[in-house]
Amino acid sequence: MPLDPQAQAVLDVRRDARAFDYDTVTAAEFRAAFAIPAPSGPPAGGLRVEDRVIDGPGGPLSLRLYRPDRAGPFPVTLFLHGGGFTIGSPDATDGICRALAAGAGSLVVSVGYRLAPEAPFPAGLRDAEAALDWVHGNAAEIGGDAGRIAVAGNSSGGNFAAVLAQRSRMEGPALCHQLLLFPALDAAAEAESWRLHGEGLILTAPMMRWFWRLYLPDPALASDPRVSPLRRPDLFGLPPATIFTAEYDLLRDEGEAYAVALQAAGVPVALRRWPGQLHDFLLMQGVVDAAEDGLGEAAAALRRSFA
């Protein structure tokens, strides 16, 4: 179907901000263009929000906890923000995390992992692993239920969430769900949707290739399942998955290919392609009506998994 008119309006506004030369732009310049202010004001939706710092593999690791304002313990969702492994923070996905916490009745823990190029692979992933292990080990102290933990993430954060779900089968902790929102799952960048939707949209092929170069200085690692979880051949026994893709997203086909591969391995999967939508449109709350619908469906998927 045609691009959603509300999404088109967002695209028209943001077009100039994406006019970078990806042979010369620095991560600092790119981050400045996409800076997200920290949320201000009291939390909505009956939530309590708390920032914490734990010991991480590379030093202090920041977490933001979104806790329903009632008696727990609560199921826990570990959330990894997107941003091409290079930009972003829990501030960027504050609205998503609030919606998931309120809609799923979940304690959401958002991770401020290290970013490339200053900290390339596997630094951010190591932080995500450390955060998951900490949440599992400290669930009772933070009002969570260690027996009901899900992982979730958008874009590059969806990559981390998929890798954590694969790791859980081998190393634990056990997970009850993986929520992958427009995930980046294959560094090879060979899917047909890269050709169809790689130019002129929110996420372009030159931009995504630049992200991969910064995150993965050694291209030989592109086939490593910790980089490209779509490349892992043995997917049996993984936690059930909900995968969102968007029609006008170059990452669409790799997300849908992963859903097919999981289903072939016997993993329960709910795949939802959002027609007429851009990559990461859930971030466009208050501007694109479908964002609210999508967040409602994502929260419902988590709620069902926790039940």
Side-chain angles (χ1 to χ4, degrees):
M1 65 178 291
L3 186 63
D4 182 333
Q6 292 178 324
Q8 181 66 61
V10 172
L11 188 62
D12 292 342
V13 169
R14 296 188 183 181
R15 199 176 297 278
D16 291 342
R18 301 192 323 280
F20 292 104
D21 180 347
Y22 289 99
D23 291 326
T24 61
V25 67
T26 66
E29 291 168 338
F30 197 88
R31 289 171 189 152
F34 288 90
I36 302 292
S40 59
L47 300 175
R48 290 179 290 156
V49 181
E50 174 189 358
D51 288 320
R52 286 206 179 193
V53 177
I54 65 171
D55 292 331
L61 177 60
S62 62
L63 306 176
R64 181 170 294 162
L65 281 61
Y66 301 81
R67 188 182 293 108
D69 192 12
R70 59 179 185 273
F74 303 101
V76 184
T77 304
L78 186 80
F79 193 90
L80 292 312
H81 69 79
F85 312 100
T86 302
I87 65 172
S89 70
D91 290 341
T93 51
D94 183 75
I96 290 179
C97 291
R98 289 175 189 245
L100 295 180
S106 172
L107 166 61
V108 175
V109 180
S110 185
V111 185
Y113 57 83
R114 288 171 289 170
L115 300 173
E118 297 86 353
F121 172 82
L125 178 60
R126 291 282 179 260
D127 287 348
E129 292 170 344
L132 177 59
D133 292 342
W134 183 88
V135 163
H136 181 255
N138 295 273
E141 187 268 323
I142 60 175
D145 179 354
R148 292 186 295 164
I149 299 177
V151 290
N154 65 308
S155 196
S156 56
N159 175 287
F160 285 167
V163 175
L164 290 179
Q166 293 180 358
R167 170 185 180 259
S168 72
R169 185 188 64 192
M170 299 174 284
E171 302 178 26
L175 301 174
C176 63
H177 204 72
Q178 50 181 319
L179 173 64
L180 311 181
L181 307 173
F182 326 106
L185 299 173
D186 190 2
E190 296 173 343
E192 176 69 4
S193 54
W194 277 72
R195 184 186 66 80
L196 293 174
H197 304 303
E199 301 295 336
L201 297 174
I202 289 290
L203 178 64
T204 67
M207 183 192 300
M208 192 65 215
R209 290 192 177 98
W210 180 72
F211 286 146
W212 278 121
R213 288 197 301 272
L214 296 188
Y215 179 58
L216 201 65
D218 181 2
L221 292 173
S223 61
D224 188 323
R226 297 172 301 158
V227 173
S228 299
L230 180 58
R231 300 299 186 99
R232 185 172 294 281
D234 52 333
L235 299 175
F236 65 91
L238 296 188
T242 298
I243 301 177
F244 281 9
T245 65
E247 181 178 5
Y248 290 90
D249 182 6
L250 63 86
L251 300 181
R252 182 194 69 198
D253 288 357
E254 57 202 72
E256 295 178 2
Y258 194 53
V260 171
L262 288 170
Q263 288 172 330
V267 178
V269 179
L271 172 64
R272 175 73 150 96
R273 179 195 285 194
W274 288 85
Q277 291 301 333
L278 296 166
H279 175 75
D280 248 355
F281 74 91
L282 297 186
L283 294 172
M284 303 171 192
Q285 293 161 279
V287 179
V288 174
D289 292 342
E292 300 297 338
D293 297 335
L295 289 169
E297 288 195 18
L302 288 174
R303 191 168 59 248
R304 288 191 297 270
S305 74
F306 295 138

